[in-house]
Structure formats: C-alpha cells, structure tokens
Amino acid sequence: MISRRNFLTTVAVGTVSAAALAACGQSPSQQGSAQNPVTLNYTWWGNDDRAERTRKAIDLFQSKNPDIKINGNFTDFAGYWQKRATEAAGGGLPDVMQWDLSYLRDYAQRNQLLDLGTVKINLDGFDKTLLPSGQVRGKTYGIPTSTNAFAVYYDPAKLKEIGVAEPTGKWSYAEYKKWLGDVGAKSGGKYFGGADFTGVWWQFNIWLRQKNIQAFTDEGKLGFSKDNLKEWWSLASDLRGTPAIIPPDRATQLKPKSAFGANAAASESTWDNFMAAYLKDSGAKELKLVPVPSDDQGNLGLFLKPSMLMVASAKTKYKEAAARFIDFMVNDPEVGNIFKTSRGVPASKTQREGTTFEGADKAVVDYEKSIEKYLKDAPQPPIVGFGTLEAAFLRTSEDLNYGKLTIDGAVDQWFKEAEDVIKQNA
Amino acid sequence: MTQTLTRRRGATSVPLARRTGPRGADVRAGYTFLLPWLLGFIVLTVGPMLSSLYLSFTNYNLFEAPKWIGFDNYVNLFSDDRFLQSVQVTLSYVVFGTPLKLAAALAVALLLNNATRGQGFYRSAFYAPSLIGASVSIAIVWKAMFGDNGPVDQGLSFFGINLGGWVGNPNMTMPMMILLTVWQFGAPMVIFLAGLKQIPTELYEAASMDGAGRVRKFVNITFPMLSPVVFFNLLLETIHAFQIFASAYIISNGEGGPAGSTLFYTLYLYLRGFSDFRMGYASAMAWLLVIVVGIITLLFFRTSKSWVHYSGDSR
Amino acid sequence: MTTTKRETMSSPTAPALAEGQDNPKEYNPKADSRSAKRLRAVVFNVVALALVGVVLYPAVWMVASSLKPNSEIIGNPALWSENFSLDNFVTAMDGIGGVSTAQFFTNSIILAVGAVIGTVLSASVSAYAFARINFPGRNLFFGMMIATLLLPFHVVIIPQYIIFQQLGLVNTYVPLLIGKFLAADAFFVFLMVQFMRNLPRDLDEAARIDGAGHFRIFGSIMLPLMKPALISSSIFAFIWSWNDFLGPLLYLNSPEMYPLPLALRLFVDQTQSSDYGAMIAMSVLALLPVLLFFLIFQRYIVEGVSTQGLKG
C-alpha cells in the first residue's frame, strides 16, 4: 500500500521533476558527462516481452555510456502512431525512436527526422540492398535494426494430429488453397486452415511482385489496377465461409491474438519475426516456416524488409548521443543476444554474427537463409499516408468476410480511400 | 438542478442586488472570484472552439501549416461511407438506447416508489452500475461476458438460442452496447424517484375519488407531474449518448469493428484526427456534432411546451 | 448556443426536495388488510431482489472470474469455483512492462486527488461569484457556463492538445489537471451555484453590514455552510477522474505515468500476454476504490444525484 508519506513524496517529486524538465528545455548542454548525463527520450512499440528486452538493452547501454541516460517509453502499435503524430505537430518527438517502414516517408518528407548521414553511425555491417529502405530522397533517415521476411507459419503437431502432410513451401496458390481446405475439412472443426490471407497488404504486395507489378510508382501513385485487386480478393472467395479460413466473427473475438496464436487455425501467413510471439501465444512446441505460394516458382516475390528502423528526431538537441545509441542498438552483438529474433534477424553483420541463435530463433534465421536466392531488393519506403491505407486494406477485407461488401464494392471503397489519401498528401 | 431554476423563474435570486445596483467593490470582487473560471473558459473552451472552427475549413495534418479549403471537409463528409456509417451507428444507439434506458429507469422508479422498506438499499444497488458503467474495466468485462462461450452465450444456449458470441457478430454488437447503457439506468432512476416523491398525495386522493384506475392515474397525474424530470433526463441522456467513447474504444480495440458496427461518431472523429492525422476533417466532424447537439437541444425545448408541465403553469 | 442558454435557465424541473420528509405513497382508499399488505411486500421484494440479481450480475461475475483460474472463466457460467485463488491478483499486481500496478495506483490517486483539490477550490470560488456577487456580465457568463454543460467536448480536444503540445506539457499531468483548477467542469460550478443560492442571504447581509468583504464572507461563512456540496463534488470529481480514459489517452506517453484505465488498456493490448484472469483481476483492482467510495459514501452519492441531477 501507499503510505501517506510516500504519496506526498511522489507528488512533490512529480512536481519538482516537471519543473526540472521545463528548466532543461531552456539551457541544454550538448554533451553529457558521467556526473551530469544528458537524457535521451527513446520510445518503441511492442509488448511486455519487448519492453523487458529493451530495458535490458538500455541498462547495458547506460553502463557502457555513463554520460547518457535513456528515458524509455513504449505503447502498442496503433497507439504509437497516434502519439507520434501529435508530438510531431508540436515539435516534441522523442530524441530516438523505433520506426516502421510504413511511416518513414510521412515523417522524413515532413522534415521531422534527423538525416543520419550527418552523424556517425557504423554502417559497414549492412547489406547494401537493405539500406535504401531507410532512405527517402537520397538521404538516410532510418537504420534497419533487423530484417524480416514473409512466410507461412504452420504447427507440425496440429498437422500430424489431423493427418495432413506438412507443406514443402513449393506451392502454387491453387495448391495452397487446397491445403487450407484439407486442414479445415480433416480437422473436423477443431482447426481452421488459416486466416483470410487476402486481407494482408504485404502478401498482396508480394503477389504483385510475383507478377512483376510495382505496388506504388516512383511518383507515389498506385502501380496496380482495380482489376489486380479484384483478382486478389477473388482468390479467396471460394474459401470464405468454409473451414479453410476462420470466419470473421471468430477471428474478431480472438483479437488481439491471431487465429493461429489462439490455436484456432493451423497456419498463418505473416512476418517471420512473429515466431516468439506465436510460440508464447499458442504454447506450441515448434512452429515451422515455409515460403508463401507463387504461381511462378522462379519468382517468389519475396524480399527482406527492415522489420523496424531506428530513427532520431530532427529536433533532437543531442545528435551525437542519439547516434551513439542508435549505433549501439543496431550493431552491438550483446544487443543481438538480448533481442534474438524478436525484432527480426539482426540486419548488421556484426550483430548477427555475434548472436547465438537456438531453437525457434534458429528456425527464423534458417528460413531467411533458405530463401536467400529468391530475394529481390528491399522495398522503398511506401507513400505518405500508407499507414492509413494498410489499415483500410485489412478493414475492407474484413467487411468482405462479413459479407457487408461485394468484391467490387470492396475494391471501389479501397481505391476511393487510396486516391483520397494520395490527393491529401500530394 | 431543479431548485434554482424554479427560483430564477420567480426572479427572486437577484432582486436585492438589483435594487442597489452593482458597486465598484462588487464588480472587482466579482471578476476576481470569477477569474479561474473565466480564464479556463477563454483558454480551454472559447479559444479552442474558435481554433477548431477555423481548422474545420482547412486541410491540416499537424505537420504543415493548415491549408484553407473552404467547405470541402463538410462536403466530403457526406460522401464518406465510414462517416455515414458512424452517423448511423450513433443514431441507432441514441434512438434505441436512450428511451430504453429511461423506460427502465422510470419503471424501476415506479416500482421502488411503492416500497415501504428497503428503498434505500435498492436505490443504491441499482445506482451502482451508473458509477462504473463508463469505465474501462466494465468495457473489458462486457466484452468477456458477451464473447463466445461467455455467460451470455451460455445462458442463451440453455434456452436453445444459439447466437454465438455477440462481440464478433456485427448484428449483435449494437444490442450489446445498448444493453451496456440500459444497465446504467440507475442515475436517471434516482432522479425519477426524487421527482416522484414531490407529487402531492392529494392529487391521487382526488383522482381516486373520481374512480380513476392505476393507468389513468399514471397518464393524468404521474406522467404530467413528472414531465419536467423526464425532460431533464431525456435531454441529458441524449446528449450524453452522442458522446460515448471509452466503452466503444475498448470493446472494438479502438477500431470500431466488427464491420464498422461499433464505429461511433466520436470514435471515428478520434481515428480521423489522431490516427489519420486529418485534423481539419476531424474538426469539421466536431463542429457538425456541436451543431447537431445544439439543434436537438433546441428541438427538445421547442417541443417540450406541448408535453412538459411545470408546476407554476396554469393548465 | 445563446438560445439554449436562455431556455435552460428558464426551465424549471422538479420543485425543491426536502430530504428526510415522509414518502407520500400512492393513496389507496381501499384499506389493505394486513395479510394483503404483507403479500404485496413479499411480491415487491421478490421482484426487486430478482432485478438486483440481474443488475449486479456483471459485477459479481467480474469478481468471481478474477478469482478463477484462466481455464474456468470462459465456458463455465457458474459463479462458484472450487479453485478460487488470488493468483490472478498476484499476476495483476506485477504490472506491465516493468511498471508495477502499485505505480499505476499511485498515478491514479495523484490525478484524482489533484482533480478533487482543483475542482473544489475553483468551482466554489467561481460559484460564489455567480451566486452572491452582482456585477455586469454575470448573467451572460452564467448562461455561457450552462452552455458548456451541453457542449460536446470533442470540439476542443484538438486545439487544446496543440496548445499543451506547444507549451511542452504533453506527458505531464498538467493538461489533465489544469482544467480542474480552472473550473472547466461546469457541472461542479453549477452544482455549487445551486447550493449557494439556497443558503439564506441574511448571513452574508449581516456580515456585510459588519464590514466584511467578499473574501471573508466566502471563507468564513459560505465555505463552512457548503460542506455537503463540497463533499458530493469531491466524490464525483474523484470518481470521474479515476475513470477518465480519453484525457490520459491523449496526453500521457510514458507507462510510468499511466493511471489505471490506460494501464488496463495496455494490458489488453499486450498481444502476447493475454491472460484473461489477470486482466479481469486488474479490472477489479481498478474499480476497487470506486466501489469502496460507493459503499462508504453511498448516501452522499445517491442523495447528490437525486437533488442535483448529477450523472454517474
């Protein structure tokens, strides 16, 4: 319980520190010292597990850099972007932030992010094809911490239980759909095959790549047609309402868990760095990863995406300190050992090679190795407002599953939203 | 609420000062005492209102300076499917939820008004949900109770009704939200109960002499005498219902789903503003809400003349 | 808005209520025989108790679930379980992401106590001006204050946010508390104006004749007399602040500063630790002070509602 004295102390401390913070704003000292460290605000999104790991990394950093103190904050993914937008409006973005590719262009183009080319961060260990995904108009705004690749997860134990063979990962969409149907049918209602894969923007993006279509043109317009999207959403139309994919009302109720994590489906296509999360959610012993289907086995459309980036605020007063922290987070092997593959596979070679991967983490690393020969260039940061579009994509597909929209209606609705977003941000 | 208003009608609250007229010391003291409120009113209400009125005519994404676009936001609202859906969702919540809640409140108040003993206990027990109903905790509990295999699903299955979880079913989320508001009938009920106590017993005595039955007594005495309280409850509950946010946010994971069935007006406003960074658009939505609430308030007062009876009125 | 104001002011609702007076019952000329009376009482109590059961079921279910193991919460409608334990509460007390639930509690208390102090101070002072001082513009301002009662606050949140952001006050408690100190919650001002207007004027008239100024009249005459209004305002200010969600959602970034409702949301959002039992246990913890308040002050609360038309 909180004693009266404690309570008063807390109030007093709170008031004083608020005043102190305000005072800090007036006369910043650019360099910290061990006696008088500078404080960097760092924020990330994620769950409990990531918070724990991040705190460990921060402690390590502070012990190695006594002149810098890291004040860490986190929220969930959706709330994260709401916060950043409002902070940016008032010029108050935290000094260093974990970032997502979807929002990089929004903030970089609006001069909210620090040009990391102007500070010292060691980029020697990075694959040269990966770095452009942290660049906007030729300047580097984000450094990838790690990479992830798209995959189909499945639970071998569940497949064994219902007597369905494990997929090899060399499959066409027709074979994939048949497999989903098999799982649903043979499990006798216990498991669905998977979730509606056509609701995931990135799988659509990969499917477009398999057809050599760019999702967005270099001018920031849509690179695909209504017919493309219609074909994509039609791909699953014979599966909706069958045991092949989980019905939307069930899926909604499992949120925030996914159907796969909640043991309601035997497979799911998503990013490979969700491994640890799915293992924890489902309690499964082992989960396996195979490539997404492609009708052209010579072109899987796969790529390594920065699963997250480190960025700094354009307005940070402590550029040097921010750079040191970013460098530490992306390059330090000990950080790699703290996060393993929970952020994705470490992007920097120094970090990757300094990390020991075992069990599930090894499966993720092995998966990314196994698809190496199919990989194409990492995607450019998508258009401004992409976050809105990605959410609308999922939502529209959900409406489709609920039967609230026809495929044509869904396509029209999404295109309207997309054109609106593009116009807004032109 | 009620007392002063009655008194003000009789204009008894000002006369003393009126006679003498304001003195210099009074003016100074008046504004000194009013200072906190006045400051808050200007800085936190009037200023922001004007500023959001301006923003509603602009395209403002928080990053770049607002761009003047005239009435575009207001016009675009009406071709925005999600906006129209949020209007529909909110209206059905207001139109079904509020009367149901008030009907429950009135019915229970009438029941309790007859109680000789234990009224205090029942009153408190029924009031409790009003205190906690809008909290995040209750939203979480509601979601769990109305989920697949939750107590509601199981209870209904027992009677052979197999609806499954309400949370995932776009047709059932609205009834679920309405039940949540009806569950909080206690607050208006307590006010009704206070109103019922004010009805003079003699009226019922006289009616009984005329041979009036229960129904006639209700129609001719109870309801007219209670009508100012009904009016007060109806107005406040309606305005309140338009602004539901926290429960909708928690129950739908902040998305307004499934299939937009819990996309309440304020939730969409919040998403547009703070998630899509379209502050101009959201401001237009906010102002439209102000206008609609204003019109509804006005309509309430206009129509009230035909059914609200004030004790001072000659009937 | 002006029309609204005028009409609100001119609309009397129920006449004044005198507490403690006898309940006038619906008059029944047919004198009930004793047994018929008793039968009616039994029927009434059965019906009313059944209703109480239905109404309180969600709360009871919540408490029962918080004590059950995870596997028994869903799919087992029985309220009783042989496996009742406090395990969920132990987990819930651990908090989230390195912040303990005790910290969230402390935060909620700081905010709620701050809200109470601010509200009582500012609302009573402002109410005194409205109720007891005659100055030009008073009626106009009073009308405006009433209008803000009906104003959907969404219209001010965006600019307010921008103001606080520019002042560097986001992620502090200032935006959440400043409004309380500036009497922004018109309901409390209104409630106190109502209360003050019903206090006899003779007292301050007499003090005036003795040469007392407004400050002394307010401090030594009004405030002591206003105790009931101050108490019910405090209770409601506390509870509203305790349950507030949107304010903290907008303004607070660090989990270390979160009050309970936000912490709860964070808990729900933790995709990888969706522990039903702990989530419900935390919901119970978050409501505990409100429920305790209700049990202790229920008289004040319910009376406050019935006389002032306060909403829960």
Side-chain angles (χ1 to χ4, degrees), chain B residues 1-9 13-14 16-18 21-23 26-27 29-34 36-41 43-45 48-49 51-52 60 108 111-115 119 122-132 135-138 140-142 144-145 148-149 151 154 183 185 187 190-191 194 197-198 201 204-205 208 217 228-229 232 236-237 239-240 243 245-246 249-250 266 269-270 274 279 282-283 286-287 289-290 293 297-298 301-302 310, chain C residues 3-4 7-17 21 23-27 29 44-45 47-49 51-52 55-58 61-62 74-77 122 125-126 128-130 133-139 141 144-145 148 150-156 158-160 162-164 179 181-184 190 194 197-198 201 205 208 214-215 218 236 239 243 245-246 249-250 261 264-265 268 276 279 283 286-287 290-291 294 298 301-303 305-309 311-312:
Chain B
M1 161 118 237
T2 53
Q3 302 141 306
T4 347
L5 292 176
T6 324
R7 295 187 50 179
R8 288 191 61 77
R9 242 171 116 74
S13 59
V14 238
L16 235 167
R18 265 292 143 70
R23 301 175 310 171
D26 273 358
V27 177
Y31 280 95
T32 312
F33 275 87
L34 203 60
W37 177 82
L38 205 55
L39 206 66
F41 182 64
V43 177
L44 298 177
T45 307
M49 272 183 81
S51 141
S52 78
Y60 180 44
V108 177
L111 177 76
L112 288 194
N113 196 39
N114 283 322
Q119 202 194 64
Y122 291 123
R123 202 171 59 159
S124 293
F126 290 135
Y127 179 72
S130 298
L131 218 48
I132 56 176
S135 67
V136 171
S137 300
I138 290 299
I140 289 172
V141 167
W142 220 251
M145 282 181 56
D148 263 340
N149 287 322
Q154 296 212 316
W183 184 58
F185 69 87
V190 167
I191 302 172
K197 285 186 191 168
Q198 300 308 310
T201 330
Y204 291 109
E205 286 168 17
S208 297
K217 278 190 214 159
V229 185
F232 169 78
L236 279 194
E237 291 291 340
I239 291 173
H240 215 68
Q243 302 179 35
F245 180 79
Y249 186 99
I250 295 295
T266 55
L269 189 158
Y270 175 84
F274 290 88
M279 290 294 176
S283 298
W287 265 94
L289 182 64
V290 169
V293 166
T297 310
L298 211 68
F301 279 104
R302 282 282 146 82
Y310 297 115
Chain C
T3 340
T4 322
E7 304 212 32
T8 313
M9 288 175 63
S10 63
S11 77
T13 31
L17 301 167
Q21 78 180 39
N23 279 354
K25 290 283 132 13
E26 214 175 299
Y27 176 76
F44 163 79
N45 279 307
V47 172
L49 277 175
L51 258 176
V52 170
V55 167
L56 295 188
Y57 179 83
W61 183 83
M62 171 170 81
I74 293 299
N76 183 357
S122 65
V125 168
S126 315
Y128 181 79
F130 281 128
I133 310 178
N134 186 26
F135 57 94
R138 182 185 70 167
N139 290 351
F141 287 133
M144 287 179 167
M145 187 209 51
T148 61
L150 303 174
L151 185 76
F153 63 95
H154 296 87
V155 76
V156 295
I158 292 166
Q160 273 186 7
I162 297 171
I163 295 171
F164 288 120
F181 281 88
L182 296 179
F190 184 61
Q194 301 294 82
R197 280 181 175 167
N198 284 309
R201 281 193 162 260
E205 289 298 321
R208 252 182 172 208
H214 283 295
F215 291 94
F218 173 73
F236 278 97
I239 292 173
N243 284 339
F245 177 66
L246 184 57
L249 176 69
L250 286 174
L264 257 174
R265 185 191 86 117
V268 177
Y276 237 76
M279 188 170 88
S283 305
L287 283 186
V290 176
L291 292 175
F294 183 63
Q298 50 133 326
I301 294 175
V302 179
E303 297 301 340
V305 174
S306 55
T307 49
Q308 318 291 352
K311 311 257 311 102

Side-chain angles (χ1 to χ4, degrees), chain A residues 316-377:
Chain A
T316 180
K317 293 179 190 108
Y318 314 113
K319 289 184 186 163
E320 187 274 331
R324 232 194 299 162
F325 182 58
I326 293 178
D327 190 282
F328 170 81
M329 289 295 274
V330 299
N331 282 321
D332 195 296
E334 287 181 73
V335 172
N337 273 315
I338 291 172
F339 284 101
K340 303 285 185 187
T341 61
S342 67
R343 296 188 301 182
V345 176
S348 131
K349 204 173 164 202
T350 22
Q351 191 170 85
R352 192 166 59 237
E353 287 177 353
T355 307
T356 38
F357 299 103
E358 288 161 338
D361 294 314
K362 191 164 175 297
V364 176
V365 177
D366 287 350
Y367 172 70
E368 289 193 13
K369 267 193 199 137
S370 78
I371 55 171
E372 231 162 28
K373 57 177 180 284
Y374 301 106
L375 294 175
K376 297 272 170 72
D377 283 357

Side-chain angles (χ1 to χ4, degrees), chain A residues 82-142:
Chain A
Q82 298 168 9
K83 288 280 183 223
R84 297 298 85 76
T86 43
E87 283 169 355
L93 281 175
D95 301 288
V96 182
M97 296 163 279
Q98 176 179 306
W99 211 254
D100 187 78
L101 190 64
S102 303
Y103 291 88
L104 192 68
R105 192 177 290 275
D106 291 46
Y107 286 75
Q109 233 160 271
R110 287 160 176 164
N111 304 319
Q112 298 293 323
L113 303 180
L114 183 66
D115 176 357
L116 297 176
T118 62
V119 291
K120 216 183 90 211
I121 297 173
N122 185 354
L123 298 178
D124 295 346
F126 287 85
D127 188 349
K128 297 294 167 273
T129 62
L130 186 64
L131 289 173
S133 59
Q135 294 167 349
V136 174
R137 293 175 178 165
K139 287 183 181 167
T140 300
Y141 293 99

Side-chain angles (χ1 to χ4, degrees), chain C residues 13-302:
Chain C
T13 31
L17 301 167
E19 276 314 318
Q21 78 180 39
D22 283 342
N23 279 354
K25 290 283 132 13
E26 214 175 299
Y27 176 76
N28 193 341
K30 283 177 287 178
D32 279 316
S33 74
R34 259 188 184 196
S35 60
K37 228 178 200 169
R38 200 169 296 153
L39 184 71
R40 265 180 56 177
V42 168
V43 170
F44 163 79
N45 279 307
V46 168
V47 172
L49 277 175
L51 258 176
V52 170
V54 172
V55 167
L56 295 188
Y57 179 83
V60 176
W61 183 83
M62 171 170 81
V63 175
S65 301
S66 70
L67 296 168
K68 286 179 180 179
N70 259 322
S71 57
E72 290 183 30
I73 296 173
I74 293 299
N76 183 357
L79 290 173
W80 181 254
S81 160
E82 289 179 354
N83 301 316
F84 270 172
S85 80
L86 290 174
D87 290 356
N88 291 329
F89 286 93
V90 174
T91 317
M93 284 309 292
D94 283 349
I96 313 149
V99 187
S100 72
T101 299
Q103 178 71 49
F104 298 131
F105 249 97
T106 316
N107 296 340
S108 272
I109 288 174
I110 293 173
L111 281 172
V113 170
V116 168
I117 295 171
T119 301
V120 167
L121 284 180
S122 65
S124 61
V125 168
S126 315
Y128 181 79
F130 281 128
R132 282 300 210 248
I133 310 178
N134 186 26
F135 57 94
R138 182 185 70 167
N139 290 351
L140 177 73
F141 287 133
F142 188 75
M144 287 179 167
M145 187 209 51
I146 298 291
T148 61
L149 272 179
L150 303 174
L151 185 76
F153 63 95
H154 296 87
V155 76
V156 295
I157 53 175
I158 292 166
Q160 273 186 7
Y161 186 91
I162 297 171
I163 295 171
F164 288 120
Q165 174 78 63
Q166 308 256 318
L167 294 175
L169 292 172
V170 166
N171 205 26
T172 69
Y173 290 155
V174 175
L176 302 174
L177 290 176
I178 189 115
K180 319 284 179 192
F181 281 88
L182 296 179
D185 222 332
F187 227 115
F188 295 112
V189 182
F190 184 61
L191 181 149
M192 292 189 196
V193 170
Q194 301 294 82
F195 193 89
M196 257 188 240
R197 280 181 175 167
N198 284 309
L199 295 175
R201 281 193 162 260
D202 323 357
L203 287 169
D204 36 332
E205 289 298 321
R208 252 182 172 208
I209 291 163
D210 290 346
H214 283 295
F215 291 94
R216 246 182 65 203
I217 298 177
F218 173 73
S220 48
I221 299 179
M222 282 298 154
L223 272 186
L225 288 174
M226 280 175 63
K227 221 166 120 193
L230 296 182
I231 291 175
S232 48
S233 299
S234 304
I235 295 168
F236 278 97
F238 187 94
I239 292 173
W240 289 355
S241 160
W242 192 271
N243 284 339
D244 185 21
F245 177 66
L246 184 57
L249 176 69
L250 286 174
Y251 288 111
L252 299 181
N253 298 335
S254 334
E256 296 87 66
M257 298 190 67
Y258 280 4
L260 280 161
L262 268 202
L264 257 174
R265 185 191 86 117
L266 195 61
F267 210 92
V268 177
D269 277 328
Q270 295 302 332
T271 46
Q272 291 163 39
S273 52
S274 21
D275 178 342
Y276 237 76
M279 188 170 88
I280 294 180
M282 200 154 163
S283 305
V284 172
L285 286 177
L287 283 186
L288 216 57
V290 176
L291 292 175
L292 282 180
F293 249 68
F294 183 63
L295 287 178
I296 299 167
F297 296 112
Q298 50 133 326
R299 221 190 122 73
Y300 275 106
I301 294 175
V302 179

Side-chain angles (χ1 to χ4, degrees), chain B residues 89-306:
Chain B
V89 165
T90 309
L91 281 182
S92 45
Y93 178 74
V94 172
V95 167
F96 293 105
T98 309
L100 271 174
K101 181 182 191 175
L102 291 182
L106 185 56
V108 177
L110 288 169
L111 177 76
L112 288 194
N113 196 39
N114 283 322
T116 31
R117 258 183 293 171
Q119 202 194 64
F121 163 73
Y122 291 123
R123 202 171 59 159
S124 293
F126 290 135
Y127 179 72
S130 298
L131 218 48
I132 56 176
S135 67
V136 171
S137 300
I138 290 299
I140 289 172
V141 167
W142 220 251
K143 196 174 173 181
M145 282 181 56
F146 284 86
D148 263 340
N149 287 322
V152 174
D153 184 19
Q154 296 212 316
L156 288 175
S157 302
F158 182 78
F159 295 104
I161 306 166
N162 286 307
L163 286 172
W166 294 29
V167 180
N169 183 343
N171 299 321
M172 294 311 291
T173 43
M174 184 49 69
M176 178 178 84
M177 296 304 291
I178 288 175
L179 277 177
L180 178 55
T181 184
V182 172
W183 184 58
Q184 301 165 54
F185 69 87
M189 179 208 74
V190 167
I191 302 172
F192 277 137
L193 209 51
L196 284 173
K197 285 186 191 168
Q198 300 308 310
I199 302 176
T201 330
E202 303 83 57
L203 291 178
Y204 291 109
E205 286 168 17
S208 297
M209 305 267 214
D210 295 346
R214 277 170 175 274
V215 176
R216 253 184 66 200
K217 278 190 214 159
F218 179 79
V219 173
N220 291 336
I221 303 171
T222 315
F223 194 80
M225 293 298 291
L226 206 58
S227 59
V229 185
V230 174
F231 177 74
F232 169 78
N233 272 335
L234 191 61
L235 180 64
L236 279 194
E237 291 291 340
T238 304
I239 291 173
H240 215 68
F242 270 102
Q243 302 179 35
I244 173 183
F245 180 79
S247 343
Y249 186 99
I250 295 295
I251 287 178
S252 73
N253 295 315
E255 290 165 8
S261 60
T262 58
L263 188 68
F264 284 91
Y265 195 93
T266 55
L267 184 56
Y268 188 49
L269 189 158
Y270 175 84
L271 290 175
R272 269 305 190 192
F274 290 88
S275 182
D276 298 345
F277 325 146
R278 293 180 61 176
M279 290 294 176
Y281 199 79
S283 298
M285 281 188 72
W287 265 94
L288 208 61
L289 182 64
V290 169
I291 294 166
V292 168
V293 166
I295 291 175
I296 288 175
T297 310
L298 211 68
L299 281 179
F300 268 40
F301 279 104
R302 282 282 146 82
T303 59
S304 72
K305 292 195 178 98
S306 62

